[in-house]
Amino acid sequence: MNPTAESDTTADIGLAWDHRFATLGPDFFTELRPTPLPSPHWVGVSTNVAALIGLGNAWMHSDAALQAFTGNTLPTGARSLSSVYSGHQFGVWAGQLGDGRAILLGETVSGWEVQLKGAGRTPYSRMGDGRAVLRSSIREFLCSEAMHGLGIPTSRALCVTGSPAPVRREDIETAAVVTRVAPSFVRFGHFEHFAANGLEPQLRTLADYVIDRYYPECRVPTALGGNPYAALLQAVSERTARLMAQWQAVGFCHGVMNTDNMSILGLTIDYGPFQFLDAFVPGHVCNHSDTQGRYAYNRQPNVAYWNLFCLAQALLPLIGDEELAKAALESYKVVFPEAFMARMRAKLGLAAVREHDGTLIDCVLLLLAQNGVDYTIFWRRLSHAVGSSDFEPVRDLFADRAAFDTWLLSYSELINHDGSAVAANLMLKSNPKFVLRNHLGEQAIRAAKLGDFSELQTLQRLLERPFDEHPGHDAYAAFPPDWASSIEISCSS
Ligand code: AMP
Ligand code: MG
């Protein structure tokens, strides 16, 4: 096979397609074919995602699927395309971007868009090579499934395939392709693109498409003057607010919250330099390229609001009323704190809402920060402590034990009042034992580079069910090793 030519053959891989994004027309995308990669091999597969999109498990062992999900053949009936979008990157208008290395194969009849990431250059690649490396592809694969396991809205990952083809980043690495799945990959940046170019008919077409497909309730006359575009902005603001509450509660840092990485469906998308917090450092910046700390952990909720503001500006020509747009946007400021508090209450095992919950939560977060306590371990130990009434393992995490004891006193009163068994049960379902820490991903990547995918599979199995105990795998729930802090994750992927 000539690895530079576009794939020109098709193969049946048992998927039935429907192409609804493609009906939008050529202003929205360019039809093209993936560029093949030589000698592909399987790296990781999610049988859950295969089942989700109606793909029989046997296909995920077939050479036909291996070639198709590497971009070497086109699944029968696929209509492959890359979409155009623009966006704000690090707070600055970046102009046109687009799917520079993502190629949509289409939408399955069951409503899942299937996209190859790293399948070659597109008209939107700019200076890029259209490729993704094995390292970042494994991170995206594992994190997509980890987030889903945590109950956090996300694009899913069907599989990763690898190829010996060299890809130049800081070092020479090898190529991989992640097959991603989501109901839609439309971003805030898609709207910004048409608004910035004064293409109002296309802007309206896109908004109508998104409303009719994903937010039909926005057509129902609402408090927002029966304006479906304002209703859309409000619905997206609320979903984004709930997503941010989940990120913050679990200690997830996205790393590149540019408007082109914000899903119109409120999904976590475009996994790059993300990180789950080890020690609770509120100002933690996981992206080595983010020198200003714009996307620090504790800034994420405000950044999401800023991004929604950009979306509001883009939708303004359709909404036609600035006050209405502001009102829609303001819902974020109501929903985020409510959703965050609800998540934190669940983490604390508090079933009832009480006036001073906010203080209790602020205090414990302050203590975690002051003592540099491991975020995931703290919550999991606290969950077990509430069940067993032995708080010593939690207390051990704090250098300032007196301060912890003071907090524990007021917390225990609430728990004793509500009943500790009920609380512990809620907590064990709200505080995961396993998260995709950087060093765990790194171990799986190092092994995979040597052709050993067992570590990836183990990690995948744990992360798919992160609230289960998984006896014999405590090492994956332990403190990070010293070398973890030296891992540098940048935008390079
Ligand atoms: P990201 O920050 O990864 O979301 O990417 C921002 C923009 O750069 C998007 O338009 C991507 O499609 C594009 N891009 C990133 N990496 C590459 C690459 N290796 N080749 C082509 N385009 C890329
Ligand atoms: Mg992106």
XYZ file of all heavy atoms in Angstrom, residues 14-16 45-57 60 69 107-114 144-145 148-149 152-159 179-185 267 464:
342
model
N -19.716 -3.635 9.027
C -20.932 -3.909 9.784
C -21.595 -2.689 10.392
O -22.373 -2.820 11.330
N -21.260 -1.508 9.892
C -21.927 -0.308 10.407
C -22.908 0.231 9.371
O -22.586 0.296 8.186
C -20.898 0.776 10.738
C -20.205 0.675 12.091
C -19.143 1.754 12.226
C -21.199 0.778 13.250
N -24.076 0.637 9.837
C -25.055 1.274 8.947
C -25.047 2.768 9.224
O -25.045 3.198 10.380
C -26.439 0.690 9.207
N -9.045 -1.212 22.483
C -10.416 -1.307 21.971
C -11.377 -1.208 23.145
O -11.127 -1.784 24.199
C -10.626 -2.670 21.249
C -12.106 -2.909 20.974
C -9.822 -2.733 19.957
N -12.461 -0.475 22.949
C -13.525 -0.468 23.953
C -14.713 -1.250 23.408
O -15.385 -0.798 22.485
C -13.961 0.964 24.285
O -15.200 0.926 24.970
N -14.934 -2.410 23.988
C -16.078 -3.215 23.535
C -17.387 -2.531 23.942
O -18.405 -2.697 23.272
C -16.023 -4.647 24.106
O -15.845 -4.558 25.506
C -14.897 -5.430 23.500
N -17.347 -1.742 25.020
C -18.558 -1.000 25.420
C -18.971 -0.020 24.339
O -20.153 0.119 24.027
C -18.305 -0.198 26.709
C -18.076 -1.103 27.897
O -18.492 -2.252 27.878
N -17.414 -0.588 28.927
N -17.992 0.693 23.781
C -18.315 1.682 22.762
C -18.732 0.983 21.468
O -19.648 1.440 20.770
C -17.142 2.661 22.537
C -17.467 3.651 21.430
C -16.828 3.406 23.828
N -18.090 -0.139 21.167
C -18.486 -0.909 19.979
C -19.964 -1.280 20.086
O -20.741 -1.068 19.146
C -17.615 -2.154 19.846
N -20.352 -1.774 21.260
C -21.757 -2.165 21.460
C -22.665 -0.942 21.334
O -23.742 -1.019 20.737
C -21.921 -2.827 22.827
N -22.205 0.158 21.888
C -22.989 1.400 21.875
C -23.363 1.816 20.449
O -24.483 2.236 20.186
C -22.137 2.496 22.523
C -22.751 3.835 22.848
C -23.733 3.669 23.998
C -21.649 4.836 23.249
N -22.418 1.692 19.548
C -22.683 2.157 18.174
C -23.190 1.031 17.274
O -23.355 1.224 16.071
C -21.451 2.857 17.543
C -20.291 1.886 17.331
C -21.015 4.039 18.405
C -19.170 2.485 16.477
N -23.414 -0.117 17.870
C -24.006 -1.220 17.116
C -23.000 -1.995 16.288
O -23.333 -2.535 15.234
N -21.778 -2.052 16.798
C -20.722 -2.772 16.089
C -20.459 -4.081 16.833
O -20.078 -4.060 18.006
C -19.458 -1.902 16.084
C -18.352 -2.249 15.125
C -18.846 -2.245 13.690
C -17.230 -1.227 15.274
N -20.674 -5.192 16.145
C -20.448 -6.491 16.781
C -18.990 -6.624 17.226
O -18.079 -6.131 16.562
N -18.807 -7.284 18.356
C -17.479 -7.426 18.944
C -16.476 -8.081 17.992
O -15.296 -7.720 17.972
C -17.616 -8.252 20.231
C -16.585 -7.827 21.242
O -15.712 -7.015 20.928
N -16.663 -8.383 22.425
N -14.176 -5.994 15.976
C -13.036 -5.327 16.605
C -11.801 -6.232 16.683
O -10.782 -5.856 17.235
C -13.411 -4.803 17.996
C -14.559 -3.801 17.970
S -14.426 -2.517 16.691
C -13.101 -1.507 17.304
N -10.350 1.693 10.763
C -10.156 2.637 11.867
C -8.738 3.198 11.910
O -8.380 3.942 12.802
C -10.567 1.996 13.203
C -12.054 1.714 13.266
C -12.529 0.459 13.590
C -12.967 2.718 12.974
C -13.897 0.197 13.622
C -14.339 2.471 13.003
C -14.807 1.209 13.330
N -22.339 9.403 10.544
C -23.131 9.160 11.733
C -23.803 7.799 11.578
O -24.359 7.499 10.522
C -24.176 10.276 11.869
C -25.000 10.170 13.108
C -26.036 11.291 13.186
O -25.822 12.367 12.620
O -27.071 11.046 13.827
N -23.739 7.001 12.618
C -24.394 5.696 12.528
C -25.905 5.905 12.599
O -26.370 6.944 13.090
C -23.978 4.771 13.689
O -24.438 5.354 14.908
C -22.470 4.593 13.753
N -26.653 4.922 12.149
C -28.110 5.062 12.193
C -28.588 5.233 13.632
O -29.638 5.816 13.887
C -28.854 3.872 11.525
C -28.749 3.960 10.019
C -28.323 2.547 12.029
N -27.791 4.754 14.579
C -28.185 4.911 15.983
C -27.808 6.291 16.532
O -28.013 6.571 17.708
C -27.554 3.802 16.824
O -26.181 3.694 16.540
N -27.263 7.177 15.675
C -27.066 8.565 16.090
C -25.700 8.869 16.689
O -25.545 9.857 17.408
N -24.709 8.063 16.382
C -23.362 8.339 16.896
C -22.442 8.761 15.762
O -22.270 8.020 14.794
C -22.778 7.090 17.582
C -23.519 6.730 18.821
C -24.507 5.795 18.940
C -23.350 7.313 20.123
N -24.968 5.763 20.232
C -24.278 6.676 20.987
C -22.512 8.302 20.639
C -24.390 7.005 22.335
C -22.615 8.631 21.983
C -23.545 7.981 22.814
N -21.879 9.956 15.879
C -20.869 10.363 14.904
C -19.572 9.621 15.224
O -19.202 9.484 16.395
C -20.634 11.878 14.961
C -21.796 12.657 14.350
C -21.497 14.134 14.151
O -20.512 14.645 14.712
O -22.271 14.778 13.431
N -18.913 9.157 14.176
C -17.675 8.392 14.333
C -16.570 9.164 13.616
O -16.694 9.481 12.430
C -17.817 6.974 13.737
C -16.541 6.178 13.936
C -19.007 6.240 14.362
N -11.176 9.266 27.893
C -12.569 9.281 27.451
C -13.354 8.232 28.226
O -14.440 8.501 28.751
C -12.673 8.939 25.964
O -11.869 9.790 25.205
N -12.790 7.037 28.296
C -13.511 5.955 28.977
C -13.500 6.142 30.491
O -14.463 5.778 31.172
C -12.932 4.605 28.542
C -13.178 4.328 27.047
C -14.622 4.623 26.634
O -15.508 3.826 26.951
O -14.876 5.687 26.014
N -16.235 8.688 31.271
C -17.542 8.037 31.181
C -17.786 7.174 32.427
O -18.881 7.188 32.996
C -17.625 7.187 29.910
C -18.932 6.470 29.801
N -20.104 7.117 29.498
C -19.263 5.169 30.017
C -21.102 6.248 29.519
N -20.614 5.061 29.821
N -16.754 6.474 32.853
C -16.870 5.652 34.061
C -17.203 6.485 35.291
O -17.881 6.030 36.217
N -19.189 11.404 33.840
C -19.002 12.764 33.328
C -19.211 12.764 31.808
O -18.586 11.963 31.106
C -17.584 13.291 33.690
C -17.409 13.243 35.216
C -17.374 14.704 33.149
C -16.052 13.673 35.704
N -20.071 13.659 31.311
C -20.333 13.686 29.869
C -19.040 13.861 29.059
O -18.221 14.735 29.360
C -21.245 14.908 29.697
C -21.932 15.051 31.020
C -20.905 14.638 32.037
N -18.886 13.041 28.052
C -17.629 13.041 27.284
C -17.834 12.405 25.926
O -18.765 11.603 25.750
C -16.543 12.232 28.053
O -15.348 12.180 27.259
C -16.973 10.801 28.355
N -16.981 12.768 24.977
C -16.892 11.960 23.761
C -16.323 10.613 24.206
O -15.632 10.529 25.219
C -15.966 12.624 22.735
O -14.678 12.799 23.275
N -16.646 9.570 23.458
C -16.149 8.247 23.823
C -15.020 7.855 22.871
O -14.800 8.527 21.855
C -17.297 7.230 23.719
C -18.523 7.569 24.562
C -18.254 7.433 26.053
N -17.834 6.106 26.445
C -18.639 5.087 26.742
N -19.941 5.271 26.693
N -18.159 3.891 27.094
N -14.340 6.781 23.217
C -13.271 6.313 22.340
C -13.507 4.852 22.009
O -13.582 4.011 22.916
C -11.919 6.511 23.004
N -13.658 4.563 20.727
C -13.893 3.190 20.285
C -12.592 2.392 20.289
O -12.544 1.265 20.747
C -14.502 3.201 18.874
C -14.654 1.844 18.189
C -15.679 0.975 18.904
C -15.036 2.018 16.719
N -11.545 2.999 19.749
C -10.294 2.244 19.643
C -9.123 3.167 19.314
O -9.310 4.324 18.931
C -10.392 1.170 18.565
S -10.767 1.795 16.922
N -10.262 6.485 17.291
C -11.610 6.618 16.749
C -12.512 7.109 17.869
O -12.666 6.438 18.900
C -12.122 5.284 16.183
O -11.221 4.860 15.161
C -13.519 5.442 15.587
N -13.037 8.310 17.687
C -13.865 8.934 18.719
C -15.329 8.872 18.315
O -15.653 8.891 17.124
C -13.502 10.408 18.892
C -12.043 10.697 19.019
C -11.806 12.096 19.512
N -11.978 13.122 18.506
C -11.595 14.387 18.687
N -11.039 14.748 19.831
N -11.773 15.294 17.736
N -16.163 8.869 19.295
C -17.599 8.724 19.070
C -18.339 9.721 19.954
O -18.007 9.862 21.131
C -18.006 7.263 19.436
C -19.507 7.124 19.499
C -17.415 6.265 18.449
N -19.285 10.430 19.374
C -20.121 11.360 20.159
C -21.393 11.616 19.362
O -21.393 11.456 18.138
C -19.387 12.677 20.416
N -22.454 12.043 20.013
C -23.660 12.389 19.242
C -23.369 13.519 18.259
O -23.953 13.587 17.184
C -24.655 12.845 20.312
C -24.176 12.206 21.576
C -22.679 12.148 21.460
N -22.470 14.430 18.640
C -22.065 15.494 17.732
C -20.713 16.048 18.182
O -20.436 16.121 19.377
C -23.078 16.635 17.743
O -22.569 17.743 17.019
N -19.903 16.431 17.200
C -18.623 17.072 17.510
C -18.680 18.581 17.263
O -17.638 19.233 17.150
C -17.495 16.431 16.703
C -17.099 15.070 17.210
C -17.581 13.913 16.627
C -16.271 14.952 18.313
C -17.241 12.663 17.106
C -15.915 13.707 18.816
C -16.402 12.547 18.217
N -20.141 18.286 26.406
C -19.319 17.093 26.621
C -17.875 17.511 26.859
O -17.446 18.560 26.381
C -19.333 16.193 25.371
C -20.675 15.803 24.773
C -20.461 15.071 23.444
C -21.435 14.915 25.749
N -12.927 2.013 33.839
C -14.319 1.860 33.393
C -15.262 1.731 34.587
O -16.438 2.062 34.487
C -14.450 0.627 32.475
C -13.969 0.908 31.065
C -13.906 -0.339 30.174
O -14.011 -1.483 30.689
O -13.717 -0.172 28.963
